[in-house]
Amino acid sequence: MKEPFQTALGIIRTLQQHGHEAYFVGGAVRDLLLNRPIGDVDIATSALPEEVMRLFPKTIAVGLEHGTVAVIHEGTPYEVTTFRTEGKYEDYRRPESVTFVRSLYEDLQRRDFTMNAIAMDEHGQLIDPFHGQEAISQRIIRTVGNAKERFSEDALRMMRALRFVSQLGFQLSEETKQAIIEHTSLLAHISVERITIEFEKLMEGPFAQQAFSLLVETQLFLYLPGLRAKEAELRTLIDYDWTALSSRGQRWGFLCYMLHLSDVHSFLRAWKLPNRLIKEVEAILHIMNIIQSYADWTKERLYEFGIEHSCAAEAIRSLISGESILENQNRLQQLFASLPIKERKELAINGKDLIEWYKRPSGPWIADMLAMVERAVINGVIDNKKEQIKEWLIPCNQKHEKNC
């Protein structure tokens, strides 16, 4: 059995030794069958939460109302959840009640998609009552049971379906796709924060183009922040390889640029994104508006914008223009490395020096003077040495020489 299942076997065996059933479940089992990197390993058990907590010395009650206990085993936390069934969904997101059961079948029956409803025992044997392996082999995303019921229970599952398309490159079954088309309006009941999590994973997936195509085809985009009037723009996103974008800032920056937004800040705020990310995207788009369709990178611009935001903007510009992102970013890296200073604090002088040399009180003139010195140093007019700057600066100011 592969790691990290091997490490978690101790939990399974401890539960079994005390008369309980226990299995590996969920995404880890699916990813094992797909030969994908395995993330968190989850365990489902017939043991009640309080029974789990009595059996293990280190536990955290992360979701007792849903039967989930985090068991710390060999320094790693594993979520151990009691088999459960769920009551009626009243808000299209959460069940009004959870009932703990002793049946693995009933537990798997409540899950979203058949590929996620496969369990594995301690010997690596699979329990697959809903034919998840068949769906995986056919590369199909199919709900467990009636698709309309599954999406009526939890409307976020529609976004999860498209997210899995982006991550796995699978197709939606016809029943699943049709159910999404008929239930898109239910997404309005889901919190923006939860939608954003799924949307970001969608943008990040290697098959994001397929997912964006479905986003338009199913009309789910009508219920996403700021996208209701952007169908034509969304269709253009299908033509680009999203895997070329390597960060959140680049992906959101590319999306905003392609949507031709008049108010980027309000759009990003509507997605409840953190302020730091919003500022990053705004900085990237500011650069995009300056360099636009041609890579007019000067030393001064690169110094002003900084290498991180410049490379992000260049990635977007290169993607849109069909140029090599890696080559163009390497060119920027080389140009940035050639700069004698990378930021103002590296300048050999500061405002106090200027006040002393010119015998003038502090004021806006200091920033203007420092900017002039920065340009001279960056362009190789003078070296970044205090005495040389002083010798150049005083005559320059007094005589208004052309090289100022």
Side-chain angles (χ1 to χ4, degrees):
M1 184 175 290
K2 288 187 178 181
E3 288 286 351
F5 295 103
Q6 190 70 40
T7 306
L9 269 178
I11 298 175
I12 298 274
R13 288 169 176 161
T14 297
L15 288 164
Q16 290 176 332
Q17 287 166 6
H18 288 82
H20 305 292
E21 292 183 48
Y23 303 89
F24 298 114
V25 292
V29 177
R30 177 200 66 227
D31 290 340
L32 175 68
L33 297 174
L34 286 167
N35 200 29
R36 297 178 76 229
I38 297 168
D40 295 335
V41 170
D42 295 330
I43 294 169
T45 180
S46 60
L48 296 174
E50 55 269 26
E51 293 173 325
V52 173
M53 296 182 76
R54 282 199 299 265
L55 289 177
F56 298 95
K58 294 183 180 180
T59 62
I60 304 172
V62 295
L64 288 183
E65 68 277 13
H66 296 108
T68 301
V69 174
V71 174
I72 313 301
H73 179 66
E74 296 185 7
T76 301
Y78 296 92
E79 287 196 355
V80 178
T81 303
T82 303
F83 298 156
R84 69 179 195 245
T85 60
E86 296 169 341
K88 182 180 177 182
Y89 284 70
E90 292 190 331
D91 59 358
Y92 305 101
R93 181 66 188 102
R94 295 179 182 86
E96 63 178 0
S97 64
V98 169
T99 302
F100 300 139
V101 296
R102 300 290 185 178
S103 165
L104 173 64
Y105 178 90
E106 289 184 69
D107 184 77
L108 295 178
Q109 191 176 33
R110 70 174 174 80
R111 296 175 184 267
D112 52 7
F113 305 110
T114 59
M115 64 182 182
N116 296 331
I118 306 171
M120 184 172 70
D121 68 16
E122 76 276 18
H123 304 298
Q125 297 299 310
L126 300 174
I127 298 91
D128 182 16
F130 304 104
H131 311 293
Q133 294 174 85
E134 179 182 338
I136 289 173
S137 66
Q138 295 175 349
R139 301 180 66 80
I140 292 290
I141 296 171
R142 182 179 291 115
T143 59
V144 176
N146 186 285
K148 295 179 182 180
E149 291 179 7
R150 294 292 82 76
F151 296 141
S152 295
E153 291 169 349
D154 183 352
L156 188 66
R157 286 170 174 164
M158 296 185 288
M159 284 297 296
R160 281 172 57 83
L162 267 60
R163 183 252 287 186
F164 283 127
V165 168
S166 178
Q167 291 179 324
L168 305 176
F170 285 15
Q171 303 293 317
L172 298 180
S173 73
E174 277 306 313
E175 180 193 4
T176 301
K177 184 193 293 186
Q178 189 58 38
I180 292 176
I181 292 171
E182 294 178 18
H183 292 76
T184 53
S185 63
L186 297 183
L187 199 62
H189 297 278
I190 304 301
S191 72
V192 171
E193 290 86 351
R194 290 184 175 276
I195 291 174
T196 298
I197 290 172
E198 298 298 331
F199 188 74
E200 288 202 301
K201 292 177 180 178
L202 184 156
M203 288 195 292
E204 190 177 353
F207 303 95
Q209 293 160 284
Q210 293 174 221
F212 273 104
S213 179
L214 283 168
L215 203 64
V216 174
E217 182 182 350
T218 61
Q219 301 285 283
L220 267 179
F221 77 93
L222 295 174
Y223 298 91
L224 299 183
L227 297 183
R228 176 168 286 273
K230 296 294 184 179
E231 180 173 351
E233 290 86 349
L234 287 170
R235 289 186 183 277
T236 66
L237 301 177
I238 301 167
D239 299 327
Y240 296 95
D241 178 12
W242 284 74
T243 62
L245 304 172
S246 59
S247 70
R248 292 176 77 192
Q250 289 180 26
R251 287 186 285 272
W252 282 105
F254 175 63
L255 177 68
C256 292
Y257 189 82
M258 297 300 291
L259 292 178
H260 307 296
L261 298 171
S262 58
D263 187 349
V264 170
H265 186 84
S266 295
F267 174 78
L268 297 175
R269 288 285 294 172
W271 285 90
K272 303 295 180 70
L273 296 174
N275 288 331
R276 182 176 179 180
L277 178 60
I278 292 175
K279 290 179 181 179
E280 178 186 351
V281 173
E282 289 178 323
I284 292 169
L285 292 174
H286 170 68
I287 299 171
M288 287 292 297
N289 289 332
I290 292 175
I291 62 172
Q292 296 202 2
S293 60
Y294 55 94
D296 186 14
W297 290 103
T298 64
K299 289 183 176 181
E300 288 185 28
R301 282 180 175 168
L302 191 55
Y303 175 81
E304 176 189 353
F305 301 146
I307 189 60
E308 183 178 351
H309 289 163
S310 295
C311 280
E314 181 57 39
I316 297 171
R317 191 204 66 80
S318 298
L319 176 61
I320 295 170
S321 63
E323 300 173 24
S324 169
I325 293 176
L326 183 59
E327 288 182 11
N328 289 339
Q329 286 185 330
N330 285 342
R331 179 171 55 84
L332 286 191
Q333 294 280 3
Q334 292 171 5
L335 183 60
F336 188 74
S338 72
L339 298 179
I341 57 173
K342 308 299 189 294
E343 51 187 332
R344 176 165 288 186
K345 68 181 182 180
E346 296 179 8
L347 201 61
I349 67 165
N350 56 37
K352 291 182 180 179
D353 296 317
L354 294 176
I355 291 172
E356 180 183 341
W357 295 344
Y358 286 94
K359 310 301 181 186
R360 291 177 59 185
S362 178
W365 68 275
I366 291 178
D368 295 337
M369 194 71 73
L370 288 174
M372 182 178 69
V373 174
E374 282 177 312
R375 288 194 298 272
V377 171
I378 291 166
N379 290 306
V381 176
I382 52 173
D383 292 334
N384 185 35
K385 297 179 179 178
K386 188 171 184 176
E387 288 306 314
Q388 188 176 140
I389 292 173
K390 182 178 181 180
E391 291 175 5
W392 174 83
L393 192 57
I394 302 301
C396 179
N397 180 261
Q398 293 174 345
K399 300 177 183 179
H400 305 287
E401 292 182 357
K402 292 183 179 180
N403 64 353
C404 294

